[in-house]
Amino acid sequence: MTTPVVSLAYHSGYGHTAVIAEAVRAGAVEAGAEVHLINVDEITEEQWAILDRSDAIVFGSPTYMGTASGAFHVFAEATSKRWATQAWKDKLAAGFTNSASKSGDKLHTLQYFQILAAQLGMHWVNLGLLPGWNSSTGSEQDLNRLGVFAGAAAQTNADEGPEAVHKADIATAEVLGRRVAETATVFRRGLAAA
């Protein structure tokens, strides 16, 4: 059986979301995947071909004004060619986002990714973690400290740079990367057995 291919199609306006992308990448690599980071605001035809041959595509964007960034929306609209031919049907999909506020409407961005994946016929992989930091014994250092289930969510203060991305959010993104890679491995085995 060959190694699963996981690609991260993401945009990062100020570098914070790139830190989360790198964490998702690290988790997927740790789980044995071949991983490609693709910055969607400068995507090439070669990178579109990588996405086409990927087993899983993880969407990522900062949350701006309650949704994914404009650059990510341009990429999403360009996937209509894949939609028309069902080129990404039955691939796995997942998502991650970052914003300055604790909520910051990150859930809407993740739901936008879920709908995009559904339109493309993809299967969504959720975070698979219980919420952290929601009891008297919890801590801001807990995995999934923001209590999001749909994907990996991060919060970084608006007046701080990428180096300030919260360590617990980085660790949570690594979990998402591992989960996507492990799920892609299971899917590959299932297809080989079918």
Side-chain angles (χ1 to χ4, degrees):
M1 189 185 86
T2 58
T3 301
V5 178
V6 176
S7 292
L8 281 65
Y10 76 97
H11 173 248
S12 183
Y14 298 97
H16 306 91
T17 308
V19 171
I20 299 301
E22 178 55 37
V24 174
R25 185 204 66 77
V29 166
E30 182 183 306
E34 172 190 329
V35 184
H36 301 273
L37 290 172
I38 298 172
N39 186 343
V40 300
D41 65 346
E42 51 191 41
I43 191 167
T44 65
E45 285 304 316
E46 180 182 327
Q47 290 171 323
W48 278 110
I50 290 170
L51 292 173
D52 291 343
R53 72 176 179 83
S54 296
D55 298 294
I57 301 171
V58 185
F59 301 127
S61 170
T63 296
Y64 293 154
M65 305 306 291
T67 189
S69 66
F72 190 90
H73 278 268
V74 169
F75 161 77
E77 287 184 25
T79 67
S80 64
K81 292 177 183 175
R82 273 68 187 171
W83 170 82
T85 62
Q86 295 289 277
W88 292 358
K89 185 176 182 178
D90 294 328
K91 291 184 185 295
L92 299 177
F96 61 92
T97 189
N98 179 82
S99 72
S101 298
K102 292 287 191 277
S103 169
D105 294 319
K106 287 184 266 292
L107 178 59
H108 184 262
T109 299
L110 292 170
Q111 289 172 329
Y112 169 71
F113 294 156
Q114 287 175 317
I115 292 168
L116 174 63
Q119 288 181 338
L120 291 162
M122 303 170 81
H123 302 285
W124 189 260
V125 179
N126 61 46
L127 183 58
L129 287 176
L130 292 172
W133 200 26
N134 68 350
S135 71
S136 61
T137 59
S139 155
E140 187 176 359
Q141 305 310 315
D142 291 346
L143 286 175
N144 197 16
R145 71 187 181 107
L146 299 175
V148 176
F149 297 94
Q155 179 274 327
T156 310
N157 293 330
D159 60 349
E160 295 185 292
E163 70 286 348
V165 174
H166 200 285
K167 300 298 183 224
D169 297 341
I170 292 171
T172 300
E174 289 171 356
V175 169
L176 178 66
R178 281 192 299 276
R179 182 168 167 86
V180 169
E182 289 165 357
T183 305
T185 299
V186 169
F187 263 58
R188 275 185 158 267
R189 287 181 182 152
L191 286 172

